[in-house]
Amino acid sequence: MNLIEMQIMFHQKAEAINAQFFDRLRPTSFEIVNYFNKAIDRYVRDKFLSLPTHEMRRNSVLAGMDVLRDMVEHQRATVEDTSGTLPFAFSKRIILPPDMLCLLGVYGTYSRSAVPPMTSDVVFSELTPMESARRLATSDADKPIYPRPIAALENEFNLLLIGDAYTTDITNIAVRYLRKHFELSFNYRELEGAADGADLTINSIVADTNYFRALAKGTYYSDPSTQITVQAGQKLVKVTGRNDMEGTSFPNWKQKIGAPYGMTDTPEFPEYMHEEIVDLGVQMFMDEAKLKLTPKAQSA
Amino acid sequence: MTAEEMQYNFELKMNTVYSITKPWQSYDIDQFLNRSQDDVVEDRYSPADGDMRNYFESNEKIRTELAELITNISITSFNSSDSARHQNGVFADVPDDYLFALQEECSVIYIDCNATAAYDYSRVKPITHDEYMMNKNNAYKSPYRELVWRMDYNSPTGDMKRHELITDGTYTISDYRLRYLRRPARINIVNGVDCELNSSLHEEIVDRAARFAASLLPQPENVEQKSET
């Protein structure tokens, strides 16, 4: 169900509940979209994130993956080497994505010198509270062994990836997380290639230096001279002078993008959930409407 | 097995390799491993087997297992002025890592019938203080040119032990050759000092260390069993 279909359903449901209310407080399209966005935020927060610990929130999100899968991002992390500045033999600070709601996993290419030796093995880190990670601190009396890296949230912006005394390197670090829902908006546009594998001209909806989202695998540029392979879901910035996105050669596969990045015209939930979002939006509208229609107490 | 592999193996047996709440530091594990190593050496040197005891070099297995610890030293400097000496005795300082003597021999100098200095080799016989008292004046059992008595004495400095070598006074000791079983070097995980015993013993050392460590962990309280109706 796209945004217009949801808006129509909103009108129908609100009028069915109380036509008088709806006529008197008829919301604009902008207001209805706002109710939908608030309904989505409330739904995600109440159903998955209102739990006291990160571990519980993460488990809740993983259990609800069928509903939340479109909001799961997976991206290469921005990393700062902190080895030597913290009491750990090896540590790297990961700058967390600003749109993250819940961290699901961190992994990277891991090497260690011994017990057991590893050379560039892909290893998933273990998420743990920072207080527990202190046991990996090295000292004159301790050379701890922990054969996989530990990820500990340092604060709301950073995550520490900590290795034991035998860790030699962790590279290609990627984070997998639940991000905020893209904002429902009538400003969102999608552009699709004319034929399978055909190039797509993107400058008609994406202005230079603005972000857009690839919705199919293709080829674009990270700067005017560097061509990169783009995966579906990847965030891209429009490079000045680069107006075409090359399509893939897969059969039945048209090149497609959405812009601006961070917006959408369809809730990122499975189709069967959309009506529930509309219901929640209508309920929020009616709750507010009741407050607006309560007569003021007459002054004596 | 290196020291770090021993730590890994120890933690594997304690089921703490993949636990972030590790109860033991490397230093603690060093203590367990070293205690276990000492126990293994002592057991191999004089193992109890029911009512019987086997002794070092009694079979090829034990000879091989402790072979790395057999060491030789030649002592040529003796203390002949200490007031604690017995008559005709001298003190020889044995090394810090000395554990058990395996074989002892002395080179002695005596004056032969042509009044010239001559050299000979003497056996060394360890005796107790009681034996000394009983036999010191026994012409058939007291030391002679081909027999030196050895008694044990402590050293005023550190852990070093002294051997008191006793002659009959007609010859002097020029060289005391001691072949002994030495104490194995301390395993140190942080500094990377590995166990120097034969590798066939490493697994047993870790096993014993883990058993000892497990005995120190708090045991779960007994759960009252439900009575069956």
Side-chain angles (χ1 to χ4, degrees), chain B residues 2-165:
Chain B
T2 61
E4 57 210 23
E5 285 168 340
M6 281 187 150
Q7 178 178 2
Y8 182 86
N9 205 348
F10 173 89
E11 293 202 22
L12 208 58
K13 292 176 199 300
M14 298 295 290
N15 202 18
T16 59
V17 172
Y18 293 97
S19 164
I20 195 67
T21 54
K22 294 176 186 293
W24 313 112
Q25 293 193 101
S26 302
Y27 184 79
D28 306 327
I29 298 170
D30 281 346
Q31 307 306 311
F32 296 134
L33 292 173
N34 283 318
R35 177 198 151 128
S36 169
Q37 179 178 244
D38 290 344
D39 285 353
V40 164
V41 170
E42 294 217 7
D43 275 6
R44 290 299 188 282
Y45 182 75
S46 178
D49 182 13
D51 293 337
M52 302 289 288
R53 288 189 79 79
N54 291 317
Y55 291 97
F56 177 57
E57 295 187 324
S58 64
N59 65 53
E60 184 62 24
K61 181 171 174 286
I62 296 176
R63 292 164 70 111
T64 305
E65 286 170 341
L66 295 185
E68 275 86 350
L69 300 181
I70 298 173
T71 308
N72 226 44
I73 188 172
S74 174
I75 299 169
T76 54
S77 169
F78 304 98
N79 181 329
S80 55
S81 60
D82 196 308
S83 60
R85 287 178 307 123
H86 290 98
Q87 189 182 11
N88 299 325
V90 291
F91 282 129
D93 291 337
V94 297
D96 286 344
D97 60 358
Y98 172 87
L99 197 58
F100 304 119
L102 300 178
Q103 182 202 349
E104 298 163 82
E105 190 180 40
C106 284
S107 295
V108 298
I109 304 172
Y110 65 98
I111 304 300
D112 65 9
C113 54
N114 296 320
T116 56
Y119 301 89
D120 203 352
Y121 294 106
S122 290
R123 291 179 296 118
V124 175
K125 182 183 180 186
I127 61 164
T128 65
H129 287 76
D130 284 345
E131 286 170 330
Y132 174 83
M133 291 304 294
M134 294 292 290
N135 298 324
K136 66 177 180 177
N137 296 319
N138 183 338
Y140 295 101
K141 291 191 175 178
S142 59
Y144 57 102
R145 203 177 69 209
E146 291 178 354
L147 178 72
V148 174
W149 278 353
R150 186 259 284 176
M151 292 168 67
D152 299 325
Y153 193 65
N154 74 336
S155 164
T157 54
D159 291 338
M160 201 188 294
K161 190 185 165 204
R162 279 176 165 183
H163 282 176
E164 185 177 15
L165 303 171

Side-chain angles (χ1 to χ4, degrees), chain A residues 255-270:
Chain A
Q255 193 49 257
K256 196 174 179 185
I257 67 153
Y261 184 88
M263 290 185 182
T264 180
D265 63 356
T266 309
E268 294 176 290
F269 294 122

Side-chain angles (χ1 to χ4, degrees), chain A residues 154-204:
Chain A
E154 195 178 21
N155 52 40
E156 66 175 300
F157 307 109
N158 301 320
L159 175 89
L160 272 186
L161 199 59
I162 300 164
D164 68 358
Y166 302 93
T167 302
T168 52
D169 204 4
I170 309 174
T171 54
N172 301 325
I173 300 165
V175 289
R176 183 172 150 82
Y177 64 98
L178 181 74
R179 64 160 165 75
K180 290 174 187 162
H181 190 281
F182 284 163
E183 184 186 340
L184 289 172
S185 173
F186 287 112
N187 295 329
Y188 178 75
R189 291 281 183 281
E190 284 184 1
L191 211 57
E192 191 172 57
D196 294 351
D199 291 357
L200 178 65
T201 303
I202 60 174
N203 63 331
S204 60

